[in-house]
Amino acid sequence: MSSRPELQSQPEIFYNDEEARKYTSSSCIIESQAQQSERDMELLALPDDGVPRLLIDIGIALEREVEGDLMLADMGQDEGFRPGVIDGAINISAVQWLCNADKTSHDPRLRLKAFFGSLYRCLTRGARAVLQVYPEKLAQRELILGFAMRSGFAGGVFVHNPHSTKKRKEYLVLNCGPPSLSAATPQGKREQEESCSDDEGSGDKENQTVYSSVCISGRQRPRKKQKITKKGNGREWVMKKKEQMRRREMSCLQIQNTKLKRKARF
Amino acid sequence: MRLLTHNMLSSNIKGVANGFPLRIEVEKVVEKQVDFNADFLKNMFAKIEWKALVDASRSMGYSELPGDANPSMLDSDDFLQKFHHALLELHLEEGALVCPETGRKFPVNKGIPNMLLHEDEV
């Protein structure tokens, strides 16, 4: 029997009281989730300009104390935010659930498309979404990445500890439109650690409010490029393209073995 | 659920052209004190749909917000206090959010709106 949760049961059955309780009472799961959330927040690379931002955290445990409001929604459906209102989104290990059809009415492709589509729409220009993913296999990762790109996102996969089977974590870092000028690019290796400015003391709790959207009216979406059909040698050309994609994906995945230093941002 | 969140939510039912703002049906409102932060309010102001906030706060029993607002009013402490109270301190604990086009109700229980759609609404 597979140990992967999403292969055992539907989420509303797998996460029964007992299982869900682990997320709110088991200290090592809490610790692990907290670490991953911190890493998500680092990868969000919010500019350090003191401007409060609204974020959404997708797929959190209900019983944990959170600042900010909660809402119950299905990731595979349009989440119902006004367009262009969210400054950033984080997510721990929930996207792969969309790849399974838990009901006969569920089509994983449509659900992935709805998820990334609605996520893209609700983010403001230049905002970033960081999703920690746990794909079962390469095809699933490609599927997830494909739908993200088709929804208009740019970005890629960031791998933490790629050589460790236990500690390896993959993060889908997606930008909605060109990144804002003040947003930092996630650094893989930080050999000379930047001085860790401790903002905790000055940070205002209210600035951490999780939820939401940034309202920018009249946002221009980048135009999708026109597809130019090339004349090729048919099958050979297709195989060559596939190989290129695979190589590109592999180099994208071999991103730094990093020990990201945790910055207190708020 | 605070009115800050309500201001960001829209009806996500398939086919609905304009699902914002959701009407509020109140069963229980709770007031929770939140630390005042003028900077936060000034930055959030640009994101807020003002009329929706005014209507929502009135349905929650708070009528102090002016019908119209512009950024110059952010200099007034009195205005900021009212804005703060309406945006962050009024919580809808029990009730419903109603789609303005279809009338479909999204229940709110223990402060959490349930935005799950039925199969035919997706």
Side-chain angles (χ1 to χ4, degrees), chain A residues 51-54 62 68-74 77-82 85 87 103 105 204 206-207 209 211-215, chain B residues 1-2 4-5 7-10 12 20 34-37 39-40 43-44 46-47 49 88 111-117 119 122:
Chain A
V51 175
R53 285 172 170 82
L54 295 177
L62 216 57
D69 288 340
L70 291 170
M71 71 187 249
L72 184 60
D74 185 339
Q77 294 170 351
D78 186 337
E79 284 163 25
F81 285 111
R82 267 198 288 136
V85 288
D87 290 314
K103 299 179 185 171
S105 53
D204 213 306
E206 249 145 34
N207 292 354
T209 303
Y211 255 73
S212 311
S213 13
V214 170
C215 187
Chain B
M1 185 199 67
R2 296 166 303 179
L4 171 63
T5 305
N7 206 265
M8 304 297 154
L9 289 178
S10 151
N12 47 355
F20 178 84
V34 172
D35 289 344
F36 178 82
N37 182 339
D39 284 332
F40 178 78
N43 282 294
M44 287 297 123
K47 304 176 190 198
E49 281 285 341
L88 300 171
I112 303 176
N114 182 341
M115 310 298 289
L116 291 170
L117 296 175
E119 302 298 341
V122 177

Side-chain angles (χ1 to χ4, degrees), chain B:
Chain B
M1 185 199 67
R2 296 166 303 179
L3 293 185
L4 171 63
T5 305
H6 165 262
N7 206 265
M8 304 297 154
L9 289 178
S10 151
S11 167
N12 47 355
I13 300 170
K14 181 176 75 175
V16 165
N18 188 10
F20 178 84
L22 293 156
R23 279 196 330 267
I24 300 184
E25 272 185 11
V26 174
E27 278 168 41
K28 183 177 167 195
V29 173
V30 169
E31 287 193 22
K32 297 184 189 175
Q33 219 213 351
V34 172
D35 289 344
F36 178 82
N37 182 339
D39 284 332
F40 178 78
L41 294 167
K42 286 174 184 173
N43 282 294
M44 287 297 123
F45 182 78
K47 304 176 190 198
I48 298 291
E49 281 285 341
W50 188 256
K51 184 159 187 319
L53 179 66
V54 173
D55 291 341
S57 62
R58 284 185 188 156
S59 62
M60 304 266 276
Y62 184 69
S63 323
E64 303 294 314
L65 284 182
D68 282 305
N70 56 63
S72 62
M73 293 161 87
L74 293 170
D75 294 326
S76 152
D77 190 59
D78 181 60
F79 172 78
L80 283 177
Q81 292 285 349
K82 291 175 181 168
F83 183 28
H84 166 81
H85 184 71
L87 195 69
L88 300 171
E89 293 188 327
L90 299 174
H91 286 256
L92 182 66
E93 280 292 304
E94 304 290 330
L97 301 176
V98 184
C99 172
E101 268 189 37
T102 65
R104 198 298 211 182
K105 294 187 189 183
F106 297 96
V108 179
N109 298 113
K110 295 184 188 170
I112 303 176
N114 182 341
M115 310 298 289
L116 291 170
L117 296 175
H118 308 134
E119 302 298 341
D120 56 342
E121 291 169 325
V122 177

Side-chain angles (χ1 to χ4, degrees), chain A residues 24-212:
Chain A
T24 55
S25 55
S26 155
S27 53
C28 61
I29 291 189
I30 292 174
E31 166 90 18
S32 162
Q33 296 267 305
Q35 281 175 8
Q36 290 175 65
S37 292
E38 272 188 51
R39 226 164 274 133
D40 258 14
M41 291 300 298
E42 286 191 34
L43 289 169
L44 262 185
L46 295 168
D48 211 355
D49 53 12
V51 175
R53 285 172 170 82
L54 295 177
L55 308 176
I56 50 173
D57 184 348
I58 307 168
I60 63 169
L62 216 57
E63 300 297 326
R64 293 301 309 283
E65 271 192 35
V66 290
E67 292 202 27
D69 288 340
L70 291 170
M71 71 187 249
L72 184 60
D74 185 339
M75 272 173 71
Q77 294 170 351
D78 186 337
E79 284 163 25
F81 285 111
R82 267 198 288 136
V85 288
I86 312 262
D87 290 314
I90 65 172
N91 170 282
I92 305 295
S93 214
V95 180
Q96 66 273 4
W97 284 93
L98 290 174
C99 297
N100 298 323
D102 298 315
K103 299 179 185 171
T104 45
S105 53
H106 280 183
D107 178 349
R109 284 168 192 276
L110 288 179
R111 287 170 63 73
L112 280 167
K113 184 178 170 191
F115 171 67
F116 284 113
S118 78
L119 185 62
Y120 185 85
R121 275 189 297 276
C122 77
L123 286 173
T124 187
R125 184 181 181 75
R128 189 177 272 185
V130 178
L131 319 174
Q132 194 257 318
V133 289
Y134 192 41
E136 193 190 350
K137 44 197 173 216
L138 185 65
Q140 205 180 69
R141 188 194 295 123
E142 280 183 6
L143 186 73
I144 293 171
L145 204 55
F147 277 102
M149 298 301 142
R150 250 168 275 160
S151 300
F153 282 113
V157 179
F158 188 94
V159 183
H160 189 61
N161 290 326
H163 304 299
S164 159
T165 31
K166 242 184 154 183
K167 292 185 187 173
R168 180 196 171 92
K169 294 276 182 271
E170 290 184 26
Y171 296 86
L172 204 55
V173 180
L174 303 171
N175 291 308
C176 184
S180 55
L181 290 169
S182 43
T185 322
Q187 295 297 313
K189 244 187 192 138
R190 287 186 192 163
E191 285 138 350
Q192 265 74 53
E193 307 286 21
E194 295 131 13
S195 61
C196 180
S197 61
D198 193 21
D199 290 329
E200 247 171 7
S202 55
D204 213 306
K205 286 246 161 168
E206 249 145 34
N207 292 354
Q208 294 179 50
T209 303
V210 219
Y211 255 73
S212 311

